[in-house]
Amino acid sequence: MDTEIYLLVGYAIQAGLIEPCDRTWAINRVLEVMQLDAIGEVMTLQMLELPEILERLTQNAVERGICEDNQVARDLFDTKLMGALTPAPHEVRAKFSALYQLNPAAATDWFYKFSQDTNYIRRDRIAKDKKWKYACEYGTLDITINLSKPEKDPKAIAAAKLALQSGYPKCQLCAENEGYAGRMNHPARQNHRIIPVTINKSDWFFQYSPYVYYNEHCIVFSGVHTPMKITRATFEKLLDFTQQFPHYFVGSNAGLPIVGGSILSHNHFQGGHYTFAMAEAEIETPLCFKGYEDIEAGILKWPVSVIRLRCENRDRLINLADKINQIWCGYTDESAFIFAETDGEPHNAITPIARRRGTAFELDLALRNNITTEECPMGVYHPHADKHHIKKENIGLIEVMGLAVLPARLNKELADLKTAILENRDIRADEILAKHADWVDELKKKYTFTEENTEEILQQETGKVFMQVLEDAGVYKRTAEGKAAFLRFADAVNQEENA
């Protein structure tokens, strides 16, 4: 392993993680992780990419019995290797702060590259994600099949069951994850660094998502492990963040199950340097809110029900957003099947997204509702059963903005569907593909499939299903009745003098 150790240390120097004068120290750190006592001289070095260097070192550790042979254990081990070469938090924060003083974008550019160079963001896995576009009446939607988050193999699942349960860190978003060694049921984070930020006079932190669903996909999270809840303070924090990082958008999942994100126990936002289709959508129906005539407002031309607010005055925007949120949370319109609560369980929530438009501040407020019925046990405003063959997971912040994060299973299923269609096989006889049979039957009425067009047809029709999923999530349907109901809510906001 002498060659691989020299290559790993050389990579760290080249990436700027360590200085050339740190070489001997770094070699000894890697020897410690590898549980080796010495290293020999290597005359020539074969150039390898980082993933292959780590794979070789990890395989050697498996063969010598210091790393278990499963994917989770391998990830824990190669993260430990990178952690040995990752600068201390104070160094990272000092560098970020110095760059921020020059330009906020320069600071985030550097930190994003750093988070990839440490292999916290695994470039090789991100590259495996499938991505394409779907143009529709609402704009151009982003369709992705996420393949960068490894699925646990049976040996890893069994090991996780035997692992001791721990309340530290309390969740995968807590600041205590920085530098944490991980365990079979919690990812290693020795190569993970976070940046302190003060938003709305509160201590929060800034990091990147290891799975990067879009460019510079960041997470901004509270320094305190406290549940998600959309309040006035949420709008204050979102807009304060865009004041400090005007090149980034930032948004929050709703704080209720079904319409919220996967981690509701820790207050956090997601943002980044990316323009979603929702951001490019135009106001379709202008609105005027009494007492806030200076704020440009309207219903967005978007499948999810969204009110857009835009104003130069941040405080005015916060006041109106807070009023709309309070009224929506208590709003019931039985004729539109919108209930604020049933049996004491709240249903209404808002998914807010903030961004800058030149010198103006902009807020998109997506109206959400998580009511369930016997006919729709997963949610009335959740992907309907006829779309579950493509997506049955919750519609969170990222999807609301127009990016489909589709399950990894679809990568193989769409490929197998292509083969089955071209070979004219009975899809219903296939245990895995049968769920797609009704969909394919409809597609066969529309298209003549060939070797050249089948993959593109399946991708575009998958995009169409995602568009329909977003329409399912809209509490106000895009019909005359739906628009009238939406306007009734706007009237209710105007009728309420003080929320």
Side-chain angles (χ1 to χ4, degrees), residues 131-206:
K131 301 180 180 182
W132 66 92
K133 303 281 189 178
Y134 174 69
C136 65
E137 62 181 289
Y138 306 109
T140 302
L141 305 180
D142 292 293
I143 313 299
T144 69
I145 298 178
N146 181 252
L147 301 173
S148 56
K149 190 173 184 177
E151 296 184 18
K152 293 183 180 179
D153 57 48
K155 287 187 289 186
I157 293 171
K161 288 182 179 178
L162 297 175
L164 293 175
Q165 296 300 310
S166 171
Y168 181 90
K170 291 180 180 178
C171 76
Q172 291 188 27
L173 287 180
C174 286
E176 289 78 11
N177 282 280
E178 185 177 40
Y180 186 61
R183 51 186 189 268
M184 291 304 294
N185 54 12
H186 194 102
R189 291 291 184 252
Q190 291 105 319
N191 57 349
H192 175 45
R193 297 295 178 262
I194 59 178
I195 303 296
V197 291
T198 301
I199 49 175
N200 192 36
K201 302 178 182 178
S202 299
D203 294 330
W204 281 48
F205 291 93
F206 170 89

Side-chain angles (χ1 to χ4, degrees), residues 31-298:
L31 286 173
E32 180 184 354
V33 176
M34 293 296 296
Q35 297 184 26
L36 296 171
D37 296 326
I39 188 170
E41 291 189 15
V42 177
M43 299 304 295
T44 59
L45 293 176
Q46 174 192 2
M47 298 310 297
L48 298 173
E49 296 295 326
L50 178 63
E52 188 171 355
I53 299 171
L54 292 173
E55 172 57 31
R56 290 188 181 191
L57 290 169
T58 303
Q59 181 60 31
N60 177 269
V62 169
E63 292 170 358
R64 292 190 292 115
I66 63 174
C67 174
E68 294 181 30
D69 189 13
N70 64 67
Q71 188 60 57
V72 173
R74 286 170 176 267
D75 283 359
L76 291 172
F77 188 82
D78 73 11
T79 301
K80 187 175 184 180
L81 283 169
M82 290 306 300
L85 303 173
T86 300
H90 76 274
E91 297 178 72
V92 177
R93 295 173 184 187
K95 176 75 170 180
F96 185 92
S97 179
L99 288 170
Y100 182 87
Q101 298 307 313
L102 299 174
N103 186 332
T108 55
D109 285 348
W110 171 80
F111 189 46
Y112 186 57
K113 181 178 181 298
F114 170 86
S115 298
Q116 296 173 79
D117 289 342
T118 63
N119 210 42
Y120 164 70
I121 297 173
R122 296 174 182 259
R123 289 186 177 104
D124 59 317
R125 291 185 181 172
I126 300 299
K128 296 176 182 178
D129 290 347
K130 292 289 184 67
K131 301 180 180 182
W132 66 92
K133 303 281 189 178
Y134 174 69
C136 65
E137 62 181 289
Y138 306 109
T140 302
L141 305 180
D142 292 293
I143 313 299
T144 69
I145 298 178
N146 181 252
L147 301 173
S148 56
K149 190 173 184 177
E151 296 184 18
K152 293 183 180 179
D153 57 48
K155 287 187 289 186
I157 293 171
K161 288 182 179 178
L162 297 175
L164 293 175
Q165 296 300 310
S166 171
Y168 181 90
K170 291 180 180 178
C171 76
Q172 291 188 27
L173 287 180
C174 286
E176 289 78 11
N177 282 280
E178 185 177 40
Y180 186 61
R183 51 186 189 268
M184 291 304 294
N185 54 12
H186 194 102
R189 291 291 184 252
Q190 291 105 319
N191 57 349
H192 175 45
R193 297 295 178 262
I194 59 178
I195 303 296
V197 291
T198 301
I199 49 175
N200 192 36
K201 302 178 182 178
S202 299
D203 294 330
W204 281 48
F205 291 93
F206 170 89
Q207 68 175 60
Y208 288 104
S209 166
Y211 306 116
V212 194
Y213 293 141
Y214 50 86
N215 186 50
E216 298 182 43
H217 178 182
C218 71
I219 300 173
V220 188
F221 61 98
S222 173
V224 180
H225 184 78
T226 185
M228 299 280 292
K229 188 176 182 181
I230 304 299
T231 65
R232 178 185 179 86
T234 305
F235 305 121
E236 292 173 335
K237 290 181 174 71
L238 291 173
L239 291 174
D240 191 12
F241 183 84
T242 64
Q243 175 93 46
Q244 297 180 50
F245 298 91
H247 58 300
Y248 272 20
F249 81 88
V250 66
S252 174
N253 270 301
L256 296 179
I258 298 178
V259 296
S262 57
I263 300 179
L264 295 177
S265 61
H266 195 128
N267 199 11
H268 70 283
F269 307 145
Q270 295 183 76
H273 195 190
Y274 190 72
T275 302
F276 290 89
M278 181 183 184
E280 296 182 320
E282 299 291 338
I283 287 176
E284 186 175 47
T285 305
L287 298 173
C288 183
F289 291 104
K290 189 187 305 181
Y292 295 94
E293 290 80 5
D294 56 319
I295 296 179
E296 182 183 355

